[in-house]
Amino acid sequence: MTALTYYLPQIIFGILAAVVLVWLVFFIRELILRSHGKAVCIHCKKAAEKVSPEPYLFLLPVSFGDKYEDAEQYLPSHMRPIASEQMIPSGRRACRLEVYSCGHCGKRYVIITDFLPVRGEEYIKGIYELPYEPFQPLIERWVALRQHQKPSQY
C-alpha cells in the first residue's frame, strides 16, 4: 500500500498527460479538417463536408460587448439577413453561417461565427455549432434577399 501512495503523483500525472494528449489529437484533427473545408459532425463525430456555396451573412441586434445566454435559442429569432459586410452598421455585430453535411449519418448542421467588424478586422465573439433545422428559414430568406438584389449592389 505504501508503494501505491509513493507512486500516486506519477500515476495521476500519467493519466492527466494521456487525457491531454487525446484531447490534443482531436483538436488538431478538427483544425486540419476545417482548413480543408470540412468539420467534425456534431452528431456522430465523423468528417462532414461544407455544403453552403458561400457563407450566409446576418446582422445581429447586439453591439460591442453585449452578450446573449443561449445561442441556440437567441440566434434563430434575432438574425437578420444582409447582402454584404458593407451593410453592417458601425459598432454592430454580425454573424457568418456555413452549412455542413455529414456523409456518414446524413445530418446537417451549421457553424455560426459571431463577429464584430472594427476598422477592417473581425473580432470573433463566438463560434457555435448548432442543428440545421432552426436556421433553414433564415437561409431561405437570405437566398431570397440575394436573388432580389441587383449585381451592382453587392
Side-chain angles (χ1 to χ4, degrees):
M1 191 58 147
T2 60
L4 180 64
T5 57
Y6 179 76
Y7 291 109
L8 190 59
Q10 288 88 355
I11 293 170
I12 291 173
F13 178 77
I15 291 171
L16 287 176
V19 168
V20 167
L21 187 61
V22 168
W23 178 85
L24 189 61
V25 167
F26 282 107
F27 180 74
I28 290 172
R29 175 180 176 241
E30 189 164 341
L31 284 178
I32 291 171
L33 286 173
R34 287 209 184 178
S35 70
H36 291 94
K38 297 180 180 181
V40 177
C41 177
I42 62 174
H43 302 287
C44 69
K45 304 299 182 209
K46 302 288 183 184
E49 298 275 338
K50 183 166 65 168
V51 295
S52 51
E54 60 183 308
Y56 303 107
L57 193 61
F58 296 91
L59 188 63
L60 293 172
V62 292
S63 56
F64 297 117
D66 293 347
K67 296 180 181 177
Y68 45 86
E69 293 300 317
D70 184 11
E72 190 169 358
Q73 296 297 319
Y74 180 83
L75 291 174
S77 61
H78 291 84
M79 293 167 50
R80 300 293 173 251
I82 56 175
S84 69
E85 289 188 20
Q86 288 77 23
M87 297 178 70
I88 303 171
S90 179
R92 289 278 301 273
R93 290 182 11 208
C95 60
R96 193 173 287 109
L97 183 148
E98 296 177 310
V99 180
Y100 287 81
S101 180
C102 180
H104 185 260
C105 69
K107 294 188 178 181
R108 293 175 136 189
Y109 66 97
V110 298
I111 295 180
I112 298 175
T113 305
D114 179 356
F115 66 93
L116 174 66
V118 178
R119 297 185 193 112
E121 293 186 35
E122 293 180 2
Y123 291 93
I124 306 297
K125 296 295 186 174
I127 298 175
Y128 309 101
E129 296 180 1
L130 302 168
Y132 172 77
E133 291 74 24
F135 297 94
Q136 185 176 4
L138 287 169
I139 294 169
E140 291 168 359
R141 285 180 37 207
W142 187 91
V143 169
L145 172 74
R146 285 295 289 249
Q147 288 175 347
H148 287 86
Q149 295 284 321
K150 295 179 184 172
S152 63
Q153 289 181 317
Y154 53 97

